[in-house]
Amino acid sequence: MKFMKLGSRPDTFYTTEAVRSVSSEVSSDLIIQVKGSRYLLHKFPLLSKCLRLQRLCSEYQEASQHQIIQLHDFPSGVEAFELCAKFCYGITITLSAYNIVASRCAAEYLQMTEDVEKGNLIYKLEVFFNSCILQGWRDSIATLQSTKAFPLWSEELGITSRCIEAIASKVLTHPSKVSLSHSYSRRGRDDMSCNGAESLRHNKPANRGWWAEDIAELGIDLYWRTMIAIKSGGKMPSHLIGDALKIYASKWLPNISKNGRDHKQAASDSDSDSANDLTSKHRLILESIVSLVPVEKGAASTSFLLKLLKAANILNASSSSKMELARRVGLQLEDATVGDLIIPSVSYETDTRYDVDIVMTILEQFLLQGQSPPTSPPRSKLGFERRRSRSAENIDFEFQESRRSSSAAHSSKLKVAKLMDVYLQEIGRDVNLSLSKFIAIAEAIPEFARLDHDDLYRAIDIYLKAHPDLNKSERKRLCRILDCKKLSMEACMHAAQNELLPLRVVVQVLFFEQARAAMAGGKVTELPSNIRALLATHNIDPSRPPAPLSTSSIMPADDQWSVSGLKSPRSKMSTLRMKLAEDDDLDENDLNPDGIGRSSKLKALCLLPARPKRMFSKLWSTNRSTTSEKN
């Protein structure tokens, strides 16, 4: 830490009966009261350097042994006044980054200017501030922190703005040119005396983000102004700004629990003014951080932005801050994880565990991104190739770039579709989650983005288990988002024995699996005409078997699809018969979306060739083995 010493006389101030005095052969003739403290001093050394004391003393006409002056509006503390008084007496004083702001404000109040005496205290403080304090990294930060005690005076004297400019200029300087210490080696590394030699113990910053932890010590108001100055320089990469904001948030914002109920309960149990003040402070910090996030995509990680969104929910931040965070997350949603999207709900209007509405907003923002470009470049109308101009080459280059961007956007949609299906599996366990919100998220994903519906089926199965009170129409509405043609063998085996599913879904699963088995068995030509008609209505090409589907999702043990985990096959086949009986009350003319009646589908299912019926053979073989074991 840099310092400066002024004066050469020893300290002769002493305290007697709560009065500070100076040991001198000359009797004191001036009493000054500052901040509840009393000083017994001499007029001559003080009035010769302090213009304000001269004017105050001249206002008193009566002559007395001790003239009393009260400084009610003195800006600094008694330590700063005593430092100025000692300077007037020539007593040695030590100035550093920790007391220069208070001393400068006190000297300005006492008007210790060059007009009163050459080489006065204000001049010396300015020389030390400009030549030493502003040249040091730690000193600039420490001085800036100390301005919080004297905000108005510091602003008026330009101390705050000059410190911010000095810090920003050092941050924007290449690390190899900054010979000042940083947070990894703070203690005693940049000691320097303006009265003596410079210390040789310097530790150069190791990387471009060396400054982030040091300025994280600042309060949010000064930090915000400093970050604005750094960003306005235009030289700092946006991802380093994002990293710095993450460091600051982790230091000043409260830890966010995975269970939002704890925070809701804490908020309801604590109504003290101190708790409200702390919440307001955290809310201000959060909203300030949000305003500082660079506009570039990827400047802040998706995980960090979602943590800020969780904090915004808990701290009841402004809707504009929440929407800005949702918009920023939506631009890079493909980088999120399911754990990031589990945002606790702290609303008193609903009992749901998770804030599904904000996730829906994020998903909408993601889907609002740019449309895909054309799949092929424009061709010449004349039908022959001409000499390519430079502008044509530029167009082709832009087209290739747009194709590359389109491919990346398509890949992102595939990732987000997988992400949202797993997210539905998590929130589906919430017994208070409404069916409409579940379906809204599921239907928001474009159809092409789901290569298979296994994860979606898992989510539907979990939701049905958590909501056993759904009526028949609600279950049908839920299962309408499921495409049975995109289910894997494992999923079909599970769905065929899932008594929670509507009959129509079970029949469709059995039908499409039988059709797939028939095609795989090479007996496609033997399919009856009505089966082929059904295949055609569902865009299935009998001459080409469908590609295998992915079933790589990891699920909890309770949600794994295991046929052995269900009841015996005999009871499941009887379940299918019971489902048929249950639907007797339905209208016989009730048609499926493809326009084919339920009875027609059942007949078509029965007319399938016997040889390739792979699914039923599995069920029946299991049934026989179970029966033999019982016998």
Side-chain angles (χ1 to χ4, degrees):
M1 183 64 67
K2 303 168 188 177
F3 62 92
M4 179 176 70
K5 289 186 177 181
L6 298 176
S8 57
R9 294 179 57 187
D11 190 355
T12 55
F13 273 66
Y14 65 95
T15 303
T16 303
E17 296 179 355
V19 176
R20 293 284 285 170
S21 305
V22 181
S23 178
S24 175
E25 297 178 357
V26 181
S27 59
S28 60
D29 55 356
L30 181 63
I31 298 176
I32 300 179
Q33 293 183 345
V34 182
K35 304 286 184 181
S37 299
R38 204 169 200 187
Y39 285 87
L40 194 58
L41 306 173
H42 302 82
K43 288 184 179 180
F44 174 73
L46 268 69
L47 299 186
S48 62
K49 291 182 172 60
C50 303
L51 182 60
R52 179 179 288 269
L53 294 181
Q54 290 182 18
R55 293 173 178 174
L56 291 175
C57 287
S58 63
E59 294 177 0
Y60 292 90
Q61 301 296 331
E62 67 279 358
S64 59
Q65 182 179 359
H66 292 92
Q67 191 168 359
I68 301 177
I69 297 178
Q70 295 184 353
L71 304 179
H72 298 291
D73 54 348
F74 191 75
S76 307
V78 292
E79 296 83 2
F81 173 79
E82 189 167 319
L83 187 145
C84 293
K86 288 179 179 180
F87 173 80
C88 295
Y89 280 97
I91 297 174
T92 302
I93 59 175
T94 301
L95 297 169
S96 68
Y98 295 109
N99 63 2
I100 189 172
V101 176
S103 302
R104 181 66 179 85
C105 295
E108 186 70 21
Y109 177 86
L110 295 174
Q111 299 178 1
M112 302 176 72
T113 63
E114 293 295 285
D115 297 335
V116 182
E117 184 179 80
K118 293 296 181 181
N120 211 342
L121 183 57
I122 290 179
Y123 171 77
K124 293 183 181 297
L125 289 174
E126 284 294 327
V127 170
F128 174 61
F129 181 70
N130 293 320
S131 61
C132 290
I133 295 295
L134 295 181
Q135 303 306 314
W137 171 251
R138 276 195 62 210
D139 302 274
S140 299
I141 295 177
T143 303
L144 183 59
Q145 284 180 306
S146 64
T147 59
K148 288 190 65 177
F150 323 101
L152 297 179
W153 282 83
S154 299
E155 291 289 348
E156 185 176 349
L157 298 175
I159 299 175
T160 305
S161 59
R162 284 184 286 172
C163 286
I164 291 174
E165 292 173 2
I167 293 171
S169 65
K170 290 177 177 60
V171 169
L172 297 174
T173 303
H174 194 274
S176 61
K177 298 180 180 180
V178 181
S179 58
L180 300 174
S181 71
H182 52 99
S183 59
Y184 302 108
S185 55
R186 289 184 175 180
R187 295 181 182 140
R189 298 292 179 148
D190 57 342
D191 293 341
M192 181 189 295
S193 170
C194 283
N195 296 5
E198 179 180 350
S199 173
L200 299 179
R201 295 179 298 172
H202 294 308
N203 203 8
K204 295 183 184 298
N207 51 65
R208 294 296 301 273
W210 61 271
W211 47 272
E213 292 190 14
D214 284 345
I215 67 172
E217 303 292 334
L218 298 172
I220 186 58
D221 50 347
L222 297 175
Y223 181 83
W224 189 88
R225 292 176 59 181
T226 303
M227 291 298 293
I228 290 294
I230 293 173
K231 291 177 65 177
S232 62
K235 298 179 181 179
M236 185 59 58
S238 60
H239 72 276
L240 291 182
I241 298 290
D243 292 343
L245 295 176
K246 184 176 181 179
I247 291 174
Y248 191 84
S250 63
K251 180 178 179 62
W252 292 99
L253 287 178
N255 292 328
I256 305 302
S257 169
K258 292 184 178 180
N259 186 358
R261 298 291 179 181
D262 298 339
H263 295 271
K264 183 189 291 188
Q265 188 66 29
S268 62
D269 293 343
S270 178
D271 297 327
S272 63
D273 294 338
S274 59
N276 292 334
D277 292 342
L278 185 60
T279 301
S280 300
K281 176 183 176 181
H282 288 154
R283 186 185 305 118
L284 174 62
I285 293 174
L286 173 69
E287 294 176 351
S288 300
I289 291 175
V290 173
S291 68
L292 289 172
V293 177
V295 296
E296 293 82 2
K297 179 181 178 181
S301 67
T302 307
S303 176
F304 172 56
L305 293 175
L306 284 168
K307 285 180 180 178
L308 290 180
L309 193 52
K310 293 178 184 179
N313 258 14
I314 294 172
L315 298 173
N316 194 24
S318 63
S319 58
S320 59
S321 296
K322 292 181 182 179
M323 288 303 300
E324 176 63 17
L325 286 171
R327 186 187 69 82
R328 300 300 298 273
V329 173
L331 296 178
Q332 51 197 60
L333 181 57
E334 66 273 14
D335 298 327
T337 64
V338 177
D340 295 332
L341 291 176
I342 300 301
I343 302 175
S345 174
V346 292
S347 174
Y348 293 97
E349 300 176 357
T350 178
D351 292 328
T352 56
R353 296 171 56 189
Y354 310 114
D355 192 340
V356 181
D357 295 332
I358 195 68
V359 175
M360 189 65 191
T361 302
I362 293 172
L363 182 58
E364 291 172 352
Q365 293 295 325
F366 171 78
L367 296 174
L368 284 176
Q369 296 184 79
Q371 300 294 325
S372 300
T375 57
S376 59
R379 297 181 179 180
S380 173
K381 294 182 179 180
L382 299 180
F384 57 88
E385 185 71 19
R386 293 185 176 180
R387 184 177 180 180
R388 296 166 62 83
S389 63
R390 185 174 298 275
S391 60
E393 293 177 356
N394 291 338
I395 292 174
D396 279 357
F397 174 77
E398 293 176 359
F399 171 76
Q400 294 298 333
E401 289 297 316
S402 65
R403 286 289 300 273
R404 221 173 272 119
S405 174
S406 174
S407 177
H410 183 77
S411 175
S412 298
K413 287 183 172 64
L414 296 182
K415 291 180 181 179
V416 170
K418 192 78 170 176
L419 173 68
M420 298 312 298
D421 285 347
V422 180
Y423 173 74
L424 287 173
Q425 296 170 23
E426 290 293 329
I427 65 174
R429 297 179 173 88
D430 185 2
V431 295
N432 295 316
L433 178 65
S434 67
L435 179 63
S436 59
K437 289 185 178 181
F438 185 93
I439 294 177
I441 294 180
E443 290 182 337
I445 301 298
E447 182 62 26
F448 72 87
R450 282 195 179 100
L451 299 182
D452 64 75
H453 278 216
D454 285 13
D455 285 327
L456 181 60
Y457 172 67
R458 285 188 177 96
I460 292 175
D461 182 54
I462 291 172
Y463 189 86
L464 288 172
K465 290 177 181 177
H467 301 78
D469 297 333
L470 290 178
N471 57 40
K472 190 177 301 183
S473 62
E474 289 173 333
R475 284 186 291 139
K476 285 186 177 182
R477 180 186 168 197
L478 173 62
C479 294
R480 195 173 293 128
I481 61 180
L482 188 66
D483 188 351
C484 299
K485 299 189 300 294
K486 291 188 176 182
L487 293 178
S488 66
M489 171 67 75
E490 184 184 3
C492 288
M493 289 291 293
H494 187 279
Q497 304 178 72
N498 192 344
E499 58 186 6
L500 297 176
L501 296 177
L503 169 66
R504 180 178 302 175
V505 177
V506 175
V507 172
Q508 285 180 348
V509 168
L510 291 172
F511 168 74
F512 288 117
E513 184 54 34
Q514 283 300 108
R516 184 186 304 174
M519 290 185 291
K523 297 294 182 179
V524 180
T525 56
E526 299 179 7
L527 290 177
S529 58
N530 55 354
I531 298 298
R532 293 189 181 190
L534 283 174
L535 293 175
T537 58
H538 289 276
N539 299 320
I540 297 178
D541 185 2
S543 62
R544 184 176 55 190
L549 302 176
S550 172
T551 58
S552 59
S553 299
I554 299 176
M555 289 296 298
D558 295 340
D559 299 322
Q560 291 288 351
W561 302 335
S562 174
V563 178
S564 62
L566 297 171
K567 296 180 181 179
S568 64
R570 177 182 298 176
S571 63
K572 284 303 169 182
M573 295 304 294
S574 62
T575 300
L576 180 57
R577 297 192 188 98
M578 287 189 294
K579 284 179 174 291
L580 290 170
E582 288 176 2
D583 274 19
D584 285 343
D585 58 338
L586 297 178
D587 185 4
E588 290 294 326
N589 296 323
D590 180 23
L591 297 178
N592 288 295
D594 54 10
I596 301 176
R598 183 178 68 255
S599 59
S600 300
K601 275 200 170 181
L602 290 175
K603 292 177 180 178
L605 183 62
C606 297
L607 290 175
L608 287 171
R611 182 178 177 182
K613 294 185 177 180
R614 187 166 50 191
M615 173 172 287
F616 283 136
S617 63
K618 286 188 178 182
L619 294 177
W620 292 336
S621 62
T622 309
N623 190 14
R624 293 192 190 100
S625 62
T626 306
T627 306
S628 61
E629 290 177 2
K630 290 183 178 180
N631 295 333

